[in-house]
Amino acid sequence: MSESFDCAKCSESLYGRKYIQTDSGPYCVPCYDNTFANTCAECQQLIGHDSRELFYEDRHFHEGCFRCCRCQRSLADEPFTCQDSELLCNDCYCSAFSSQCSACGETVMPGSRKLEYGGQTWHEHCFLCSGCEQPLGSRSFVPDKGAHYCVPCYENKFAPRCARCSKTLTQGGVTYRDQPWHRECLVCTGCQTPLAGQQFTSRDEDPYCVACFGELFAPKCSSCKHPIVGLGGGKYVSFEDRHWHHNCFSCARCSTSLVGQGFVPDGDQVLCQGCSQAEP
């Protein structure tokens, strides 16, 4: 008699049949699959000995069952991501969980260089100055009505310009005749002394310090011969073509103030009524 050659599980003869040899003995194919095959995590069917089996995080899959849970693309030879136990191809993962670039509308891929501001996301190479269209990268920028400008472009486009030199004012400055000026540009037309923070006046829209204005344009007091500038609340008296400071308008003989009083001109002098009637 020939020696028996039976399946280690069902004990049926294996003569003339396909079998699989294991350390514990030979198995017919059905018994081998039922004993040793893993169950597919997707379809819950056994993964037969002759099927390609894929393994991921303690889960087993038929090759045809290992696919993206959204687009059903096979992941057997594709990069993929697991999100909440679901397998996703890169395209579906990016579409569902990655940001869209606010400039080009394309997906900002995980791990790529990006910039985020105001709840929006950009590829680093897409975040450009709205003026010069150069990448802003890590440079300082100024947002304005949905646009973004590098500092030089923003200053060139929006910053006020000095009425004298026409250059932008980036900080400080003064206002003269409702126009912005650099502090160093607002100077006396006569002596070039800086006027910012100083008392000054103007003639024909040109600014002058008090000294230059008085010397060049102000009438001279007929008594002290100094300019009458009328600044700081200064008052003066005019008679015919002559002018006096208030405190200089007095009788030439008795020095009595003539402000608000009657007076009598006497050549180049003015006299109070009493002195005009007295003997000289």
Side-chain angles (χ1 to χ4, degrees):
M1 292 179 64
S2 62
E3 184 179 355
S4 64
F5 184 57
D6 302 330
C7 172
K9 177 75 172 178
C10 66
S11 299
E12 291 187 7
S13 175
L14 296 177
Y15 283 113
R17 298 176 60 189
K18 185 176 180 180
Y19 69 93
I20 299 173
Q21 183 68 43
T22 71
D23 291 340
S24 57
Y27 286 79
C28 65
V29 171
C31 285
Y32 179 86
D33 286 343
N34 287 328
T35 303
F36 298 105
N38 293 305
T39 301
C40 177
E42 177 67 20
C43 70
Q44 302 302 311
Q45 300 298 313
L46 292 176
I47 304 173
H49 70 283
D50 55 351
S51 298
R52 183 183 178 190
E53 180 177 348
L54 299 176
F55 174 80
Y56 177 73
E57 291 188 348
D58 297 327
R59 291 184 289 170
H60 302 264
F61 300 85
H62 292 104
E63 180 180 13
C65 293
F66 192 64
R67 57 183 181 267
C68 174
C69 68
R70 299 203 174 194
C71 69
Q72 303 304 308
R73 177 197 298 181
S74 172
L75 301 177
D77 299 305
E78 296 284 341
F80 64 92
T81 302
C82 184
Q83 183 73 23
D84 297 330
S85 298
E86 292 185 334
L87 300 177
L88 299 167
C89 65
N90 271 3
D91 289 343
C92 287
Y93 176 81
C94 291
S95 177
F97 301 104
S98 297
S99 302
Q100 302 298 117
C101 176
S102 296
C104 70
E106 298 295 328
T107 299
V108 180
M109 298 295 290
S112 63
R113 297 178 66 87
K114 64 181 180 179
L115 289 165
E116 295 178 320
Y117 176 76
Q120 295 178 293
T121 304
W122 290 264
H123 294 110
E124 185 179 48
H125 60 272
C126 289
F127 191 54
L128 308 178
C129 170
S130 299
C132 63
E133 297 186 348
Q134 294 300 307
L136 291 171
S138 59
R139 298 160 60 195
S140 297
F141 67 91
V142 182
D144 184 78
K145 299 178 182 177
H148 305 87
Y149 295 90
C150 63
V151 174
C153 283
Y154 183 82
E155 291 177 350
N156 186 58
K157 186 176 180 67
F158 298 106
R161 293 183 176 274
C162 175
R164 181 178 185 184
C165 70
S166 298
K167 295 181 179 179
T168 57
L169 279 78
T170 57
Q171 59 183 2
V174 294
T175 299
Y176 170 61
R177 292 189 175 274
D178 296 325
Q179 292 181 307
W181 295 61
H182 291 112
R183 296 178 67 87
E184 61 271 21
C185 287
L186 185 61
V187 297
C188 173
T189 305
C191 65
Q192 302 302 303
T193 297
L195 298 176
Q198 306 297 318
Q199 196 173 47
F200 67 93
T201 186
S202 63
R203 183 178 180 92
D204 298 330
E205 298 188 0
D206 294 325
Y208 289 88
C209 66
V210 174
C212 285
F213 183 85
E215 187 66 32
L216 295 172
F217 307 110
K220 304 296 189 293
C221 176
S222 295
S223 177
C224 70
K225 308 305 181 185
H226 290 169
I228 302 173
V229 295
L231 295 174
K235 297 180 180 180
Y236 64 95
V237 176
S238 294
F239 176 70
E240 295 180 346
D241 58 351
R242 289 183 290 172
H243 310 277
W244 294 264
H245 295 106
H246 253 209
N247 58 353
C248 291
F249 190 55
S250 58
C251 175
R253 292 184 183 177
C254 68
S255 299
T256 299
S257 174
L258 298 178
V259 177
Q261 306 297 321
F263 64 90
V264 177
D266 183 26
D268 292 336
Q269 300 178 335
V270 288
L271 304 174
C272 66
Q273 291 182 348
C275 288
S276 68
Q277 296 172 3
E279 289 291 331

